[in-house]
Amino acid sequence: MLNLKLSNKRMLPELKKLYQESFCASDSEVDFFFDNKYREENCVVCLLEGKVVSALHMLDTFILNSDREKTPAYYFYAAATFPQYRNKGFMRKTIDYANSVAVSKGQEFSFLMPANENLCKFYEKIGYKQFFKTFFVKLNCAELKKNVGECKGNFQAATAQLNLEKIRFSFYNQEGDVFWSEKDINFAFKQNEFYNGQNVFTDDGYAICARKDDGCVEILELAVLNVTEDVYKIKSLKESVFLLLSKVLQNVRAKEYVLRLPCSLSDLFYGHGNFKNFGMIKNLSGGKILVNATPYLGLTLD
């Protein structure tokens, strides 16, 4: 008998096993995720004869509309099915149920980040559309130094004086962008540190720098305070971004750097980089998604 429902703590051993097998996670990685991100009411499970076969986690957030207002949405994360039950329709049923839960809770959208092209095709079949875009720039150390140039400014070593939510919202506030809260940003910092990454801060910005197996550093997200309306603002947006990257170069050494940026910043690295699809979305009311921009997801927690 097939049963779809929200999880409970009795299912934790099976859910942890599913997470570990699906994402090749160590015991400490499994514990980190479930200690910090698991919520019974935000985890949907598919049960067959009482046993977990599929699950996904729904993270609360918002999509910005054309008036920069926040529209409630779920980010579907860590969707997985035990190997022996794959290709039998269980994940589709799990997602359908998760979307029905989302609607009942007042969420207007669900979105996700497929791990590969084949999964994109699967999600297209169940109503998801390519939506989010990211500008990827790969530069060696010398190239990044040349672009950034000589930057001087006020660096600080901690987040205590930073309003992270304000900084991020000032930087990512176009129609379709995902709004992440201060709590979400702090979790991204914590997760990055858990995986031996480094978080870099200036007096008005942050960069989440992850070390990859090939030795390069990938900046999973950066943001600086963007107050273009403020005539008293000392630094331009470009200066603030380059100051932040200058500190990355000083503190996070690598031969190559990969930057994930909003498409609006592509001019900062003219002649470098490319635009990529980076996330899919579904309007849970069945309506079309009309956005005249290149929405940014960010904090995909990979």
Side-chain angles (χ1 to χ4, degrees):
M1 179 179 177
L2 196 66
N3 190 14
L4 292 142
K5 61 191 298 185
L6 293 175
S7 71
N8 58 58
K9 289 183 179 178
R10 293 191 300 275
M11 301 174 186
L12 268 175
E14 289 179 281
L15 289 171
K16 287 185 175 183
K17 182 180 179 183
L18 174 60
Y19 187 94
Q20 185 165 45
E21 291 188 7
S22 299
F23 305 110
C24 301
S26 66
D27 290 343
S28 61
E29 289 171 331
V30 172
D31 289 340
F32 177 84
F33 175 78
F34 280 88
D35 288 345
N36 289 280
K37 216 61 180 171
Y38 168 72
R39 300 290 182 273
E40 292 181 52
E41 67 277 11
N42 277 10
C43 177
V44 168
V45 295
C46 178
L47 305 171
L48 183 63
E49 305 300 333
K51 295 183 178 180
V52 173
V53 296
S54 294
L56 65 80
H57 301 264
M58 307 180 295
L59 309 187
D60 291 282
T61 186
F62 301 90
I63 301 290
L64 300 179
N65 65 20
S66 58
D67 296 319
R68 297 173 66 184
E69 296 171 336
K70 296 180 288 186
T71 303
Y74 270 141
Y75 175 45
F76 288 172
Y77 182 67
T81 302
F82 277 112
Q84 63 270 35
Y85 296 110
R86 290 173 188 168
N87 301 313
K88 299 180 185 296
F90 293 127
M91 180 50 68
R92 177 166 186 163
K93 294 180 186 299
T94 303
I95 292 171
D96 286 344
Y97 183 77
N99 279 326
S100 70
V101 171
V103 170
S104 72
K105 292 185 176 183
Q107 310 295 87
E108 296 188 28
F109 300 96
S110 67
F111 61 98
L112 41 82
M113 180 63 220
N116 55 55
E117 192 62 34
N118 286 335
L119 284 175
C120 288
K121 294 176 182 178
F122 164 74
Y123 288 119
E124 284 175 354
K125 291 178 181 178
I126 57 176
Y128 285 84
K129 305 294 183 184
Q130 292 286 3
F131 184 70
F132 302 102
K133 304 280 186 182
T134 299
F135 183 67
F136 280 80
V137 182
K138 187 172 185 178
L139 301 168
N140 62 39
C141 186
E143 289 171 331
L144 185 55
K145 283 182 179 179
K146 182 178 178 180
N147 275 272
V148 170
E150 292 294 328
C151 294
K152 296 180 180 179
N154 182 22
F155 293 158
Q156 65 176 47
T159 64
Q161 299 176 19
L162 296 179
N163 185 328
L164 298 170
E165 189 173 295
K166 179 181 178 181
I167 289 171
R168 193 181 188 283
F169 183 64
S170 77
F171 199 71
Y172 300 106
N173 58 26
Q174 301 303 305
E175 182 183 6
D177 286 356
V178 177
F179 174 89
W180 295 102
S181 70
E182 185 111 359
K183 184 178 179 181
D184 297 319
I185 300 166
N186 277 314
F187 174 76
F189 291 159
K190 185 176 181 180
Q191 184 185 56
N192 188 47
E193 290 172 348
F194 177 81
Y195 284 101
N196 299 313
Q198 291 175 254
N199 303 312
V200 174
F201 306 95
T202 58
D203 61 338
D204 64 353
Y206 67 82
I208 303 173
C209 307
R211 291 197 176 276
K212 299 300 181 180
D213 292 339
D214 61 2
C216 84
V217 164
E218 185 159 4
I219 300 177
L220 303 182
E221 179 170 285
L222 61 78
V224 296
L225 191 62
N226 181 14
V227 194
T228 52
E229 317 85 35
D230 186 352
V231 295
Y232 300 106
K233 184 171 172 61
I234 298 172
K235 297 191 295 291
S236 68
L237 179 64
K238 178 179 178 180
E239 289 170 329
S240 293
V241 170
F242 282 1
L243 176 63
L244 177 60
L245 291 173
S246 178
K247 189 175 183 189
V248 169
L249 282 165
Q250 292 176 35
N251 290 269
V252 191
R253 302 297 178 88
K255 290 183 178 180
E256 288 189 315
Y257 296 84
V258 176
L259 284 64
R260 297 182 186 180
L261 299 170
C263 297
S264 59
L265 288 188
S266 61
D267 287 347
L268 294 186
F269 298 93
Y270 183 77
H272 297 280
N274 53 80
F275 302 94
K276 292 184 181 180
N277 290 323
F278 206 66
M280 306 178 76
I281 198 168
K282 184 173 185 176
N283 186 330
L284 300 182
S285 69
K288 293 183 179 180
I289 300 171
L290 302 176
V291 173
N292 299 315
T294 48
Y296 183 80
L297 196 166
L299 299 187
T300 51
L301 307 181
D302 55 349

